[in-house]
């Protein structure tokens, strides 16, 4: 079955591992790291990778993800004997998944802007080259009207300039749209 990005994030090994050092509420007044709560009989040494993997498996077993693809709603449920723990883990999952997704979206937007800016620089060079070729052609061929071959060359050069100008226009427009989208996303 298809899983949303949120579902994939919440069930990923590295994401769950990143939560193990987070504090969770275990009753009205006490907190514990998630790792310590899952492993009450072990020393608090989180460097034992076998214990980390087992902790992740325990945590993954507590999490249930239900997705409604028509409404795009993802329901994350955490089942634990302790209601404080279940609530804390659920809040932790949602908070950290949102942070990660926002970070990923910002990276994607940044990379898009970077690509567009690089492409603009390439097209500037290409446009400059075709404009110079057109200028040189016009300097060297004053009487283009009397030669069909020269007219064809001129039309080809004009078409090249127009093509590069259109690409530049599209890229500049895309850059402005990407900037606006970045601003809108950063305000969320």
């Amino acid at each position: 079955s298809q899983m949303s990005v949120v579902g994939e994030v919440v069930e990923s090994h590295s994401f769950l591992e990143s939560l193990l050092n987070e504090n969770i509420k275990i009753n009205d007044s006490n907190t514990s790291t998630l790792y310590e709560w899952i492993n009450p009989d072990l020393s608090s040494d989180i460097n034992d990778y076998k214990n980390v993997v087992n902790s992740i498996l325990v945590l993954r077993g507590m999490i249930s993800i239900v997705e409604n693809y028509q409404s795009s709603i993802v329901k994350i449920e955490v089942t634990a004997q302790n209601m404080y723990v279940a609530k804390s883990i659920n809040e932790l999952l949602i908070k950290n998944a949102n942070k990660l997704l926002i970070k990923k979206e910002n990276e994607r937007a940044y990379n898009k802007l970077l690509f567009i800016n690089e492409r603009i620089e390439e097209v500037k060079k290409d446009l400059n080259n075709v404009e110079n070729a057109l200028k040189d052609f016009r300097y060297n061929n004053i009487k283009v009207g009397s030669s069909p071959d020269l007219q064809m060359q001129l039309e080809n050069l004009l078409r090249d300039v127009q093509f590069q100008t259109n690409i530049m226009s599209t890229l500049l427009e895309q850059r402005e749209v990407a900037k606006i989208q970045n601003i809108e996303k950063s305000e969320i």
Side-chain angles (χ1 to χ4, degrees), residues 116-131 160-176:
I116 290 171
N117 285 331
E118 288 171 358
R119 227 10 228 128
I120 285 172
E121 290 307 311
E122 292 171 11
V123 171
K124 274 184 188 176
K125 290 176 188 169
D126 293 344
L127 181 57
N128 191 32
N129 288 340
V130 294
E131 285 174 338
D160 290 346
V161 169
Q162 186 62 47
F163 180 70
Q164 292 300 327
T165 302
N166 288 344
I167 292 173
M168 179 63 79
S169 176
T170 300
L171 287 169
L172 291 171
E173 183 180 316
Q174 289 298 313
R175 181 170 66 182
E176 291 307 309

Side-chain angles (χ1 to χ4, degrees), residues 43-65:
S43 68
S44 62
D45 182 21
I46 196 166
N47 295 323
D48 183 353
Y49 197 67
K50 183 180 175 190
N51 291 336
V52 170
V53 170
N54 288 335
S55 299
I56 291 167
L57 292 174
V58 168
L59 181 56
R60 190 177 283 144
M62 298 168 61
I63 300 168
S64 168
I65 299 170

Side-chain angles (χ1 to χ4, degrees), residues 72-177:
S72 298
I73 293 175
V74 178
K75 183 177 171 184
I76 301 171
E77 293 179 341
V78 177
T79 306
Q81 295 287 337
N82 181 327
M83 70 175 189
Y84 293 101
V85 170
K87 183 177 184 235
S88 283
I89 293 173
N90 206 349
E91 289 170 351
L92 197 60
L93 287 169
I94 293 168
K95 179 185 82 168
N96 287 9
N98 282 337
K99 272 190 209 173
L100 183 65
L101 292 172
I102 289 168
K103 180 182 173 198
K104 292 288 183 195
E105 182 60 28
N106 288 342
E107 286 173 5
R108 190 194 66 72
Y110 173 79
N111 288 334
K112 180 179 179 180
L113 263 176
L114 194 63
F115 171 78
I116 290 171
N117 285 331
E118 288 171 358
R119 227 10 228 128
I120 285 172
E121 290 307 311
E122 292 171 11
V123 171
K124 274 184 188 176
K125 290 176 188 169
D126 293 344
L127 181 57
N128 191 32
N129 288 340
V130 294
E131 285 174 338
N132 285 336
L134 177 61
K135 181 175 70 174
D136 291 345
F137 179 83
R138 284 195 166 148
Y139 277 134
N140 295 329
N141 300 289
I142 308 270
K143 297 184 178 182
V144 174
S146 61
S147 168
D149 286 341
L150 291 178
Q151 285 178 345
M152 284 295 291
Q153 287 179 11
L154 176 62
E155 287 174 20
N156 285 338
L157 289 168
L158 289 170
R159 196 169 30 250
D160 290 346
V161 169
Q162 186 62 47
F163 180 70
Q164 292 300 327
T165 302
N166 288 344
I167 292 173
M168 179 63 79
S169 176
T170 300
L171 287 169
L172 291 171
E173 183 180 316
Q174 289 298 313
R175 181 170 66 182
E176 291 307 309
V177 168

